[in-house]
Every structure is written in structure tokens, then in C-alpha cells.
Amino acid sequence: DEYGRPFIIVRDQEKKKRLTGLQAQKAHILAARSIAATLRTSLGPKGLDKMIVSPDGDVTITNDGATILDRMDVQHEIAKLMVQLSKSQDDEIGDGTTGVVVLAGALLEQGVQLL
């Protein structure tokens, strides 16, 4: 592609099933909520630290939401949007990266009831 990333061709793609409609919306909301749930436990004064091990074996222990999201290997496109949300919050304000992701997850959690 234009960024130099290789194209990945999946074998037997015609056998794979694509989600549409309400199922796709719920799957996207679940992906975003899982990112928010990961960060929710690190929020606040009693927040827990997360231990992240990189592919090359480096260990990072932190409760900073921006660092956690930066080191996570996220594959789902909607979950990547949550990471981008955190990065844009950090770029514009410099703080509140965990809070904005947890807030977006809570809004989606309430919004799934409206589907």
C-alpha cells in the first residue's frame, strides 16, 4: 500500500463469513469495550499496574493509559480507533488518555442497549 506495508492475502477467504448489520455493530462495540475494560482497572488512585511484554522480551510495568495503549498490539480496526482517540487526547491536551477511552467505552456500553 501507500505506506509500504505488505498486502496479506488470506487463504480460503470465500469460506470466511463477514458480519453485517446488527451483528457487526455489536462486534465492533465489544472490541472497543474490551480496550476500555483493559484500561479501566488502571484508572484512579487505586489503579492496578499492567505488565506488558513486547515480542522481543522487553517488560514494561505501568498504569499510564497512553503507554499501555501504545505498547498493545491491536488488530481490530475499531479498537485501533480507541488507540487513536487516546493519542489525539494526548496530543491536544497532554492528559486524560485513560479517561477518554473509558468514557467512550461506557458510552458504547450504554448505546448497545439502544440497538
Side-chain angles (χ1 to χ4, degrees):
D1 64 356
E2 65 270 9
Y3 298 111
R5 295 179 292 207
F7 288 103
I8 299 173
I9 299 172
V10 180
R11 293 180 194 246
D12 302 325
Q13 192 164 358
E14 65 274 355
K15 294 179 184 175
K16 295 200 181 271
K17 182 181 160 195
R18 175 174 275 189
L19 295 177
T20 59
L22 189 60
Q23 289 179 337
Q25 290 173 347
K26 287 185 178 183
H28 294 327
I29 289 173
L30 179 64
R33 285 178 52 198
S34 66
I35 295 291
T38 302
L39 289 185
R40 183 178 293 129
T41 58
S42 68
L43 188 63
K46 294 185 178 182
L48 302 173
D49 288 349
K50 305 287 184 224
M51 181 169 57
I52 304 164
V53 181
S54 67
D56 60 353
D58 289 339
V59 177
T60 304
I61 299 176
T62 183
N63 66 355
D64 178 40
T67 305
I68 294 169
L69 288 174
D70 186 45
R71 309 253 184 205
M72 284 177 66
D73 182 26
V74 180
Q75 298 296 321
H76 196 278
E77 290 299 320
I78 302 302
K80 287 180 183 178
L81 283 176
M82 297 293 273
V83 174
Q84 289 177 354
L85 174 68
S86 172
K87 286 182 181 178
S88 65
Q89 175 74 14
D90 191 33
D91 291 343
E92 292 294 323
I93 308 298
D95 193 20
T97 55
T98 304
V100 73
V101 172
V102 170
L103 176 63
L107 289 172
L108 288 171
E109 188 174 336
Q110 295 299 313
V112 78
Q113 298 171 2
L114 301 174
L115 296 177

